[in-house]
Amino acid sequence: MGESVDRSSTERSAASGVASPWTEADTETVVCCLCGVPGRQVYDLAPFGLVKCPVCELAFISPRLTSDALQRLYDEPAYFEGGVYGAQSKWSPAMVLQRTWTAGRLDRIAEESGATPGRLLEIGSGYGLFLAAARDRGYRVAGVELSRTGATHSQRNLDLDVFCGQLADAPVPDADKFDVICFWDTLEHVPDPLAFLQEVRSRLADDGIFALSVPYLSSLPARLLGRRWWTLKPEQHIWHYTPATLRLLAAKAGLSLTGIVTSPVSRSNVTRLDSLVALGRAVPGSSS
Ligand SMILES: [Zn+2]
């Protein structure tokens, strides 16, 4: 049994791309972004913890890495290497999966919007694979990416319009709204998901749609594996949702979820046992 514990923790550090362990000095405690109250501990993951808001049940990491420590993590090129976004061969299993998700997600977006392709923004555009595929389908695309490595690759090798930094700092004129905003595997990373979704809402046309993917805490692997759930990764995944808390959060930001895909056989989510794909619309008149 001891051996399996060791292996599990080694895998977790390897997956996080961090060589040295974090200490308490790298962490801060936070409150629920919806209710402003501290969470109650679910798992002790020292120096981190998984907690749950006693009011709305949104789960989050507290203590968690400070924004300075987090930036150091994202500036680390190894963050992308070995993952699904790195410079891998076109036919590697990870890249084939990426293209399958991308095609499935673009199909769902087309079904939901029902209109001709308009302006599409991807937040957290990584190496630009999804943006390039959306452009091939006729969208006018723009991206925002925190990692300099990913942003530079997108600009230089794919000729994409990608801003390196936070969405709030992106030089998009207020009048310039998007018809589609996507953020794949991003909402679990952002410091304040309510502020993030409000920013999304403010950039979305009144008849616009948004699409996201995110791990979820009510998935079978998360429930079965508990604190050993491989996607828990407390350094990077600082908010953990369920369909219910995701709906609540979206509603507070003036967004309404219209569909959630949890099936691991749906093309948009294929093989993903612990992640969901959600689509939604702006609530007209809710933009502040
Ligand atoms: Zn709450």
Side-chain angles (χ1 to χ4, degrees), residues 9 18 37 54 96 122 243 279:
S9 79
V18 180
V37 299
V96 169
E122 185 184 10
L279 271 85

Side-chain angles (χ1 to χ4, degrees), residues 99-110:
R99 286 199 299 276
T100 307
W101 291 330
T102 292
R105 291 166 186 181
L106 283 168
D107 286 349
R108 289 202 67 87
I109 289 166

Side-chain angles (χ1 to χ4, degrees), residues 13 27 36 75 94 96 109 118 124 155 188 195 203 208 210 237 239 253-254 265:
S13 339
T27 69
D75 283 341
V96 169
I109 289 166
Q155 293 154 352
E188 67 275 33
R203 308 268 177 159
F210 67 97
H237 296 170
W239 298 91
V265 296

Side-chain angles (χ1 to χ4, degrees), residues 4 32 35 57-58 91 102 112 116 140 147 150 158 164 200 204 210 234 247 268 278:
S4 79
C32 174
C35 311
E57 302 210 310
L58 181 57
W91 298 108
T102 292
E112 179 73 31
T116 48
R140 283 168 292 141
S147 146
L158 297 171
C164 184
V200 167
L204 198 58
F210 67 97
R247 279 181 196 285
S268 62

Side-chain angles (χ1 to χ4, degrees), residues 191-268:
D192 182 340
L194 179 60
F196 177 90
L197 289 181
Q198 285 167 335
E199 185 69 31
V200 167
R201 176 63 188 95
S202 76
R203 308 268 177 159
L204 198 58
D206 266 349
D207 58 354
I209 67 168
F210 67 97
L212 66 97
S213 62
V214 77
Y216 67 112
L217 199 55
S218 49
S219 64
L220 200 59
R223 281 185 286 132
L224 284 178
L225 298 171
R227 52 179 298 143
R228 293 199 197 172
W229 178 34
W230 63 82
T231 307
L232 202 53
K233 297 183 186 170
E235 297 93 337
Q236 305 154 36
H237 296 170
I238 53 181
W239 298 91
H240 286 284
Y241 308 94
T242 63
T245 56
L246 192 58
R247 279 181 196 285
L248 184 67
L249 179 67
K252 293 260 185 183
L255 299 165
S256 157
L257 290 185
T258 51
I260 294 181
V261 177
T262 54
S263 167
V265 296
S266 160
R267 265 212 311 167
S268 62

Side-chain angles (χ1 to χ4, degrees), residues 31-38 52-60 239 248:
V31 294
C32 174
C33 66
L34 287 177
C35 311
V37 299
K52 200 176 265 190
C53 173
V55 181
C56 73
E57 302 210 310
L58 181 57
F60 52 102
W239 298 91
L248 184 67

